[in-house]
Amino acid sequence: MLRITVLADERALARQEATRVADALKTKPDLVLGLPTGRTPVRLYHELGTLHSRGQVDFSRAMTFNLDEFFGIPPSHQGSYRTFMEQHLFSRVNMAPDRVHFLNGAAPDAEAECRRYEAAITAVGGIDLQLVGIGTNGHIGFNEPARELAGRTHRVTLKASTRRSNVALFGGELERVPIEALSMGMATILHARQVVLLATGKSKARCIERLVNGPLTPKLPASFLQLHRDVELVLDTAAAALLQDSQQLPAARS
Ligand code: F6R
């Protein structure tokens, strides 16, 4: 069941979602969180840092699994998603390093690394709360539009547009952005008990409209979220702009 919440702006979204995570951790201190990188969750991660500095959120028993990682660079690389998470979240809260899980982009055997990650998720009983962003082409994680989608964690060749949108992590030099990545598959994501998709800005409006009103299609990997029983889209007004005509949306909250 797809639920939609529209908020006034990115700030309101970050605040609401930080409260969601903090409340979930109060209810279940050993919560298993699935996390995205990208521009969208940055404010949320900083907000969680602020809540932590006020003693309002405790990550000491939480566990995290990030959605994806570039392949061919080590975790310590400046452009890695591991480094991104360290900068924006893990260094700001009391995450225990051994409870942070990441795909290793420097693993010698990519397929074995993907199997290891799936097994690690299963071993902890699955993901409780999976946060995801969405690419303007409808990708989730690094599940790019294709004729068919991989179900489970897999190695993927990145689209040119996806490499371009990550260029800032690599000093603005496109040729330094890895060509491949490792990513949870759509089935891995859909097995999480709860999925929350965050989207802000008008560049996301078209894929959000297709996700809500369109058919299930591997051309828009996010459309498969329609199959999940507990999925919520949390949007700002710009990302929800094309829904206004076709959906009865709640008024935007600030
Ligand atoms: C990154 C990820 C991607 C991003 C998506 C949106 O871990 O999973 O699918 O969520 O590319 O990126 P932003 O938030 O930068 O628009």
Side-chain angles (χ1 to χ4, degrees):
M1 163 78 182
L2 226 150
R3 281 169 292 127
I4 302 173
T5 301
V6 183
L7 299 164
D9 54 27
E10 281 191 10
R11 192 153 156 246
L13 184 145
R15 287 203 173 150
Q16 171 179 296
E17 293 312 301
T19 303
R20 182 200 301 274
V21 172
D23 288 349
L25 281 166
K26 271 182 205 132
T27 308
K28 187 173 190 255
D30 59 350
L31 191 76
V32 182
L33 274 165
L35 297 174
T37 57
R39 184 188 50 81
T40 312
V42 167
R43 269 182 186 250
L44 158 63
Y45 293 157
H46 295 185
E47 187 67 27
L48 284 167
T50 305
L51 291 187
H52 175 66
S53 67
R54 295 191 196 132
Q56 291 169 356
V57 65
D58 178 13
F59 279 84
S60 60
R61 292 177 57 203
M63 227 178 280
T64 64
F65 285 86
N66 264 78
L67 276 166
D68 42 18
E69 179 60 287
F70 294 106
F71 189 62
I73 58 171
S76 58
H77 191 286
Q78 261 310 305
S80 77
Y81 280 169
R82 183 76 175 80
T83 299
F84 175 100
M85 289 304 297
E86 208 52 54
Q87 282 169 352
H88 292 293
L89 182 64
F90 301 147
S91 62
R92 296 165 188 257
V93 298
N94 59 335
M95 261 316 291
D98 62 340
R99 299 176 82 81
V100 168
H101 297 269
F102 243 95
L103 281 154
N104 178 2
D109 179 342
E111 282 67 36
E113 175 60 6
C114 294
R115 285 194 299 275
R116 177 196 70 78
Y117 208 57
E118 285 286 333
I121 294 171
T122 305
V124 301
I127 292 172
D128 293 309
L129 172 57
Q130 176 71 59
L131 303 179
V132 298
I134 183 168
T136 51
N137 65 0
H139 73 223
I140 299 266
F142 277 139
N143 294 282
E144 299 279 24
R147 257 183 308 186
E148 52 183 33
L149 299 175
R152 297 298 182 167
T153 303
H154 59 290
R155 182 176 183 168
V156 60
T157 302
L158 297 174
K159 296 264 188 216
S161 58
T162 303
R163 291 182 65 229
R164 275 197 299 277
S165 59
N166 280 279
V167 77
L169 296 175
F170 294 87
E173 293 174 52
L174 189 58
E175 60 282 9
R176 291 180 56 212
V177 182
I179 288 164
E180 290 185 298
L182 304 178
S183 176
M184 285 186 195
M186 283 310 295
T188 320
I189 293 165
L190 289 168
H191 272 80
R193 282 181 266 285
Q194 183 184 7
V195 180
V196 175
L197 179 143
L198 311 175
T200 57
K202 66 172 193 269
S203 68
K204 304 291 170 73
R206 178 74 188 121
C207 60
I208 292 295
E209 194 278 330
R210 288 173 66 205
L211 156 57
V212 172
N213 297 317
L216 295 187
T217 167
K219 291 184 195 148
L220 190 88
S223 64
F224 285 88
L225 293 180
Q226 292 180 26
L227 295 173
H228 199 281
R229 300 181 178 193
D230 186 356
V231 60
E232 183 172 348
L233 312 186
V234 183
L235 315 171
D236 70 355
T237 44
L242 296 177
L243 296 179
Q244 307 292 352
D245 296 340
S246 50
Q247 292 279 314
Q248 288 295 311
L249 286 175
R253 285 185 274 130
S254 54

